[in-house]
Amino acid sequence: MKKRYAVILAAGQGTRMKSKLYKVLHPVMGRPMVQHVMNQIKTANLDQIVTVVGFGAEAVEEKIGNGNESKFVIQEEQLGTGHAVQQAEALLKDKEGTTIVVCGDTPLITGQTFQELFDHHEQENASATILSTKVDNPTGYGRVIRNNTGEVERIVEQKDASESELNVKEINTGTYCFDNKSLFRALKEVSNENAQGEYYLPDVIEILRGHDKKVSAFSTPNEEETLGVNDRVALAQAEKVMKNRVNEKHMRNGVTIIDPNNTYIGLDVIIEQDVLIHPGSIIKGNSIIKTNAEIGPHSEIVNCTVGDGTVIHQSVASDSQIGSNTKIGPYANIRPSASIGNKVKIGNFVEVKKSVIGDESKVSHLSYIGDAEIGTNVNVGCGTITVNYDGKNKHLTKIEDDAFIGCNSNLVAPITIGKGSFVAAGSTITKNVPEDSLSVARARQENKEGYAKRLKN
Ligand code: UD1
Ligand code: CA
């Protein structure tokens, strides 16, 4: 098989984004655009990838990593896409094989489409093959100009196009395969005499034609993939396309998503079949949602494992483990390092942080549980607070199995509430409670009979 190389163009500043952030680092579904391109291109089995970086170079290198098969070159001044490819000359020009050039701002093109382009290029035995597509609104893209017999002649940029050329619906997606040596030879002939005063890579097409080389275009039917992100409107479009792609994958795998337009699932999330996702749910990071779980409406889950049959309604959870057949919410906040067991109930306005909650325990209403270890079958009454912070340090609250904490109790840590014990409502507990004890820590009630009536008179 012929050797394959790739050049990723990622040096442009991205003026139209109006951003301090380098264009190709703008994230689509939480991942920089250039990283999507890199991940997809890697599936095409390349011998070498050269990424052209400029403004913000270090940040790009950091995001996509440097290695043997992936190298960076710097384009000091952004003089155009042709000039950008020339920066890879020292690394590539003497190599035999095929070079694919892709833009760092087309994050939706899939590895499969790249593969189809390679295949087409090799079958046609062409010197250059453009990945093109037909769109209803070609505004902003370069147009693929063909002659009477349908052969590709050249590409004309929007700003240089004549009235009739502007009507052409076949666009240049910014991705091409080239015979490597022919590419670098032709680049030397590219001039910057055009509306933008730039060295255009697409001009190579006409130059190769002039040398009687075979030039072809592979028109992909997957128009949706070819979006070039130049501004924030396109960025939102890319987000939408990729979001739908992810949602569709999950639905095909047996996940019910009630309103896919209003459901946001991260690229690395794993969801088992028969999970039900209600509108307004966001599931991100390395989350795993097990079978028969029910998420939402309006829940945000980040880096959590959610057990089978668990329900999370109108709640937030991050960096935590949640067991099976547990009920969370509405309006619960599960903060990092919570480990919640099976058949647990965490009810409304309950905040849990860095705590273990054993199987079949309940914290049903209005509580703060932080730095706690709660055993199994514990009932934490409404309004209970673990007083974990003394202004300097955080301390541990232990509540052993089968304990019952009355409403509105303060458990001042470090403290242990023994197995099977009972804390009376309204207590502020500062000393350990032994197993099976009743602990009351509040002023004794005194009734002054008739006093209120006397006051009123
Ligand atoms: C480019 C193509 C256009 C095509 C469109 C597809 C040219 C002249 N035009 O237009 O035919 O329809 O992509 O999306 O190529 N870059 C550099 N160095 C530079 C200039 C650009 O690395 O000096 C990089 C950018 O970071 C970007 C890519 O090249 O990733 C494309 O540049 P951009 O300015 O976005 O080109 P378009 O105007 O979109
Ligand atoms: Ca672009």
Side-chain angles (χ1 to χ4, degrees), residues 16 23 103 105-106 140-141 173 227-230:
R16 290 164 280 182
K23 174 163 79 170
C103 294
D105 66 351
T106 49
Y141 292 98
T173 66
L227 177 73
V229 177
N230 296 323

Side-chain angles (χ1 to χ4, degrees), residues 9-12 16 23-24 52 75 77-81 84 103-106 140-142 155 157 172-174 176 200-202 228 230:
L9 303 184
R16 290 164 280 182
K23 174 163 79 170
V24 298
V52 185
Q75 184 191 24
E77 259 186 299
Q78 281 71 58
L79 302 178
T81 47
C103 294
D105 66 351
T106 49
Y141 292 98
I155 295 169
E157 291 304 298
N172 168 27
T173 66
Y176 328 71
Y200 293 160
L201 174 62
N230 296 323

Side-chain angles (χ1 to χ4, degrees), residues 68-137:
N68 282 341
E69 42 133 19
S70 169
K71 292 207 157 53
F72 291 88
V73 294
I74 307 240
Q75 184 191 24
E76 299 280 356
E77 259 186 299
Q78 281 71 58
L79 302 178
T81 47
H83 179 257
V85 176
Q86 266 183 319
Q87 309 311 303
E89 189 170 11
L91 286 173
L92 294 181
K93 81 166 190 272
D94 297 325
K95 296 190 192 275
E96 293 286 349
T98 305
T99 295
I100 187 168
V101 178
V102 293
C103 294
D105 66 351
T106 49
L108 300 171
I109 304 179
T110 59
Q112 194 185 332
T113 298
F114 289 139
Q115 187 59 50
E116 285 166 5
L117 175 65
F118 267 116
D119 292 345
H120 184 95
H121 178 77
E122 281 162 13
Q123 273 160 26
E124 295 281 304
N125 215 357
S127 277
T129 308
I130 306 158
L131 179 66
S132 71
T133 194
K134 292 202 177 73
V135 295
D136 291 336
N137 178 9

